[in-house]
């Protein structure tokens, strides 16, 4: 099965919103139906964080990426393809 970037983006789900920090959200992707906020901290979960200041962050392979949601989705999708997440 070939997963396109559009198909990947369609799996976006808001996994968590911090009630004490308005605006902070965790967006998870791909096979994320059972993902919990705790899983994002301890398991390999494809996710992007929007901080309370509105900035988007993505940390993969010990590198921190910042940018728009669309830019980071592209980075995350490319990395997931390279790592075999969709095989």
């Amino acid at each position: 099965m070939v997963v396109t970037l559009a198909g990947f983006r369609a799996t976006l789900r808001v996994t968590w919103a911090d009630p004490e920090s308005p605006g902070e959200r965790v967006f998870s992707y791909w096979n994320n139906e059972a993902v919990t906020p705790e899983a994002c901290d301890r398991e390999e979960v494809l996710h992007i964080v929007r901080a309370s200041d509105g900035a988007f962050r993505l940390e993969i392979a010990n590198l921190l990426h910042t940018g728009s949601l669309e830019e980071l989705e592209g980075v995350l999708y490319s990395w997931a393809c390279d790592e075999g997440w969709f095989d």
Side-chain angles (χ1 to χ4, degrees), residues 8 46 60 75-86:
F8 177 72
L46 299 174
I60 50 174
V75 171
L76 184 57
Y77 172 77
S78 294
W79 178 85
C81 287
D82 291 346
E83 293 293 311
W85 279 73
F86 309 130

Side-chain angles (χ1 to χ4, degrees), residues 35-49:
V35 171
T36 63
E38 294 78 21
C40 290
D41 286 336
R42 68 175 186 272
E43 299 173 21
E44 284 197 25
V45 175
L46 299 174
H47 70 283
I48 295 172
V49 174

Side-chain angles (χ1 to χ4, degrees), residues 14 16-27 48-57 69:
V14 176
W16 182 67
D18 187 349
E20 295 181 15
S21 185
E24 185 163 321
R25 305 267 187 281
V26 174
F27 301 97
I48 295 172
V49 174
R50 185 182 79 183
S52 58
D53 64 1
F56 289 95
R57 301 187 315 262
L69 180 60

